[in-house]
Amino acid sequence: SSEVLEAIENVIQDVLKSVAQNKAPVLTLANRSDWRNIEFKDSVGLQMIPHCTTKQIRSDCPRSAPKFALMLKILSMIYKMVQSNTYATKRDIYYSDTLLFGSQSVVDNIINDISCMLKIPRRSLHILSTTKGFVAGNLSYTEEDGTKVNCTCSATVLTVPSNVQGIKNLISQAKFMLIVEKDATFQRLLDDDFCHKLSPCIMITGRGVPDLNTRLLVRKLWDSFQIPVFTLMDADPHGVEIMCIYKYGSVSMSFEAHHLTVPAIKWLGLLPSDLKRLNICKDVLIPFTKQDQNKLASIQKRPYIACQPMWKKELEIMAASKLKAEIQALTSLSSDYLSRVYLPNKLQFGGWL
């Protein structure tokens, strides 16, 4: 915490120095969303290059002055929280003054900018993000406040903890971890008792694009148990994008890649090649939209696809067919095909990429 306080004090001192010299204070930020500032490393995923281009948030420019003021406001809130050892969610911060902040996304963006500027992970700034992910299966752990959590015997799903860094005493006999893209598929697998039937496993869903806590938990479980990690996604560009976020990270959070990515992740399904192999009825396939085509074209150009020839092939199959399929398409074969046939066969015979 002293490191956080010192980092904020340094920023404020620079602002005061500028004011004392009759200069307009500026805050300098890394360009987080610029691909030119990102390098791809097989072992880490997408990470920020050490000397990246920066942008200035100026206090004397009408366009950036409001952001400058909001950054100082949130810095002062973080400073108080670290001093008093209290925590707040991003939502709490927004609701402390909705008129001032205008929208939740403004707050979220500024918090990521501050984290990147100070080079301090968000949880060390005492800001928690509300969790939307779920976890189930063969896993127990103790939360920071001493609460014992057991996912194994719970028939209901458990929410991913909001302070992943604080959990300890992780115990699991799981043979693998399965990341499921969507809540509906996750619930279906739970109903079919998938976590225990085949072999003990841990299932996680970020319910779409994963939040920070879900990604942190996947990484922590992988660090703790070093078991295979598989993804089950829709066979569409959106599903591939989500899988890439878990495996390689995202451009906007590349400054925190080391805590968030799991490059060992394997693509289990639904593969575009599975659709033909399983003779999935054309009626349940969905034609591409223009947006799907653009998304797929942008994914195909990304640096990590070049080092994944098998993935590249699957994306080419998808691009050529201009068709996408949800995991639910497997129910056209039989209602429990996913848990009874598809996943057991894939896991037994190594049907992943």
Side-chain angles (χ1 to χ4, degrees):
S1 61
S2 59
E3 188 191 325
V4 181
L5 296 176
E6 193 182 327
I8 295 174
E9 284 162 9
N10 289 340
V11 171
I12 302 304
Q13 264 175 335
D14 286 346
V15 169
L16 292 173
K17 259 185 216 157
S18 300
V19 171
Q21 293 164 359
N22 275 331
K23 287 181 189 160
V26 294
L27 297 172
T28 305
L29 308 177
N31 261 332
R32 280 190 300 122
S33 55
D34 190 338
W35 274 94
R36 287 170 302 184
N37 286 333
I38 310 295
E39 62 178 356
F40 170 65
K41 268 184 89 173
D42 232 355
S43 58
V44 183
L46 300 175
Q47 60 175 10
M48 220 166 214
I49 57 173
H51 305 293
C52 59
T53 61
T54 56
K55 57 180 178 183
Q56 289 194 327
I57 309 295
R58 300 190 62 86
S59 60
D60 61 347
C61 160
R63 249 189 42 228
S64 62
K67 183 167 182 175
F68 179 90
L70 292 180
M71 285 187 75
L72 291 192
K73 166 78 175 165
I74 292 178
L75 278 169
S76 78
M77 292 171 89
I78 293 168
Y79 194 86
K80 280 178 196 150
M81 288 191 296
V82 175
Q83 266 186 328
S84 58
N85 198 24
T86 54
Y87 287 81
T89 64
K90 297 187 297 184
R91 219 170 154 66
D92 294 334
I93 290 176
Y94 168 59
Y95 279 109
S96 69
D97 199 334
T98 52
L99 272 176
L100 177 70
F101 294 118
S103 77
Q104 182 70 60
S105 61
V106 167
V107 171
D108 297 356
N109 201 18
I110 286 176
I111 288 165
N112 285 341
D113 278 338
I114 286 174
S115 175
C116 184
M117 176 176 77
L118 301 179
K119 294 184 174 53
I120 290 169
R122 193 163 74 194
R123 14 187 210 292
S124 305
L125 303 176
H126 285 230
I127 293 170
L128 306 171
S129 46
T130 34
T131 300
K132 67 180 176 107
F134 290 144
V135 59
N138 193 298
L139 173 69
S140 62
Y141 56 85
T142 309
E143 289 199 338
E144 199 178 27
D145 62 2
T147 309
K148 286 185 168 50
V149 176
N150 189 350
C151 308
T152 314
C153 59
S154 161
T156 58
V157 296
L158 291 163
T159 308
V160 167
S162 58
N163 184 0
V164 175
Q165 296 309 97
I167 65 175
K168 46 191 185 289
N169 308 332
L170 288 94
I171 300 165
S172 176
Q173 274 76 52
K175 297 283 178 279
F176 63 91
M177 202 185 330
L178 182 67
I179 300 169
V180 182
E181 177 186 350
K182 280 189 186 144
D183 192 20
T185 310
F186 182 82
Q187 300 290 350
R188 177 72 218 227
L189 290 171
L190 276 183
D191 294 343
D192 293 347
D193 201 21
F194 177 76
C195 291
H196 307 105
K197 259 188 193 158
L198 188 63
S199 62
C201 74
I202 300 167
M203 275 201 326
I204 289 181
T205 179
R207 296 161 76 200
V209 177
D211 57 24
L212 195 68
N213 292 330
T214 305
R215 290 174 62 191
L216 283 168
L217 183 64
V218 170
R219 175 63 197 235
K220 190 168 185 113
L221 293 173
W222 185 69
D223 284 340
S224 304
F225 305 123
Q226 294 287 309
I227 51 177
V229 188
F230 301 112
T231 59
L232 180 61
M233 306 277 151
D234 287 341
D236 67 12
H238 190 62
V240 174
E241 170 110 287
I242 288 171
M243 173 171 60
C244 292
I245 290 173
Y246 283 107
K247 185 174 171 78
Y248 296 123
S250 58
V251 175
S252 63
M253 294 300 286
S254 56
F255 64 95
E256 267 210 66
H258 289 270
H259 312 284
L260 293 171
T261 57
V262 180
I265 280 172
K266 301 278 182 263
W267 186 2
L268 188 68
L270 189 60
L271 301 177
S273 59
D274 289 338
L275 304 178
K276 195 172 178 187
R277 185 175 61 83
L278 298 172
N279 221 351
I280 301 273
C281 168
K282 276 270 176 20
D283 299 351
V284 295
L285 303 181
I286 308 158
F288 261 27
T289 62
K290 187 80 185 105
Q291 205 179 358
D292 290 327
Q293 275 174 295
N294 295 342
K295 168 77 74 192
L296 183 57
S298 106
I299 292 170
Q300 286 176 299
K301 288 193 198 102
R302 289 185 194 167
Y304 42 70
I305 297 299
C307 68
Q308 288 280 5
M310 302 298 281
W311 284 31
K312 198 170 173 221
K313 225 182 221 154
E314 292 293 330
L315 298 183
E316 282 162 7
I317 292 171
M318 200 191 290
S321 75
K322 291 195 171 59
L323 292 169
K324 55 185 182 176
E326 298 187 326
I327 297 160
Q328 282 83 347
L330 294 174
T331 56
S332 66
L333 301 171
S334 81
S335 64
D336 58 352
Y337 190 86
L338 176 66
S339 58
R340 187 176 52 84
V341 183
Y342 184 82
L343 290 175
N345 281 348
K346 283 255 173 179
L347 292 160
Q348 192 181 342
F349 299 113
W352 57 77
L353 305 177

